[in-house]
Coordinates of all heavy atoms in Angstrom, one line a residue:
Chain B
G121 N -7.6 -5.5 -34.5 CA -6.9 -4.9 -33.4 C -6.3 -5.8 -32.3 O -5.6 -5.5 -31.4
G264 N -17.5 11.8 -0.2 CA -17.5 10.4 0.0 C -16.2 9.8 0.3 O -16.1 8.6 0.5
D274 N -22.4 8.2 -0.5 CA -22.4 7.8 -1.9 C -21.2 8.5 -2.6 O -20.7 9.6 -2.2 CB -23.7 8.4 -2.6 CG -24.9 7.5 -2.1 OD1 -24.7 6.5 -1.4 OD2 -26.0 7.9 -2.5
R304 N -17.9 -3.4 -39.2 CA -19.2 -3.1 -38.6 C -19.0 -2.4 -37.3 O -18.8 -3.1 -36.3 CB -20.1 -4.4 -38.5 CG -20.4 -5.1 -39.8 CD -20.6 -6.6 -39.6 NE -19.4 -7.2 -39.1 CZ -19.4 -8.5 -38.6 NH1 -20.5 -9.2 -38.6 NH2 -18.2 -9.1 -38.2
A317 N -17.4 -0.2 -17.3 CA -17.1 0.7 -16.2 C -17.6 0.2 -14.8 O -16.8 0.2 -13.8 CB -17.7 2.1 -16.5

Side-chain angles (χ1 to χ4, degrees):
Chain B
D274 288 357
R304 299 155 294 170

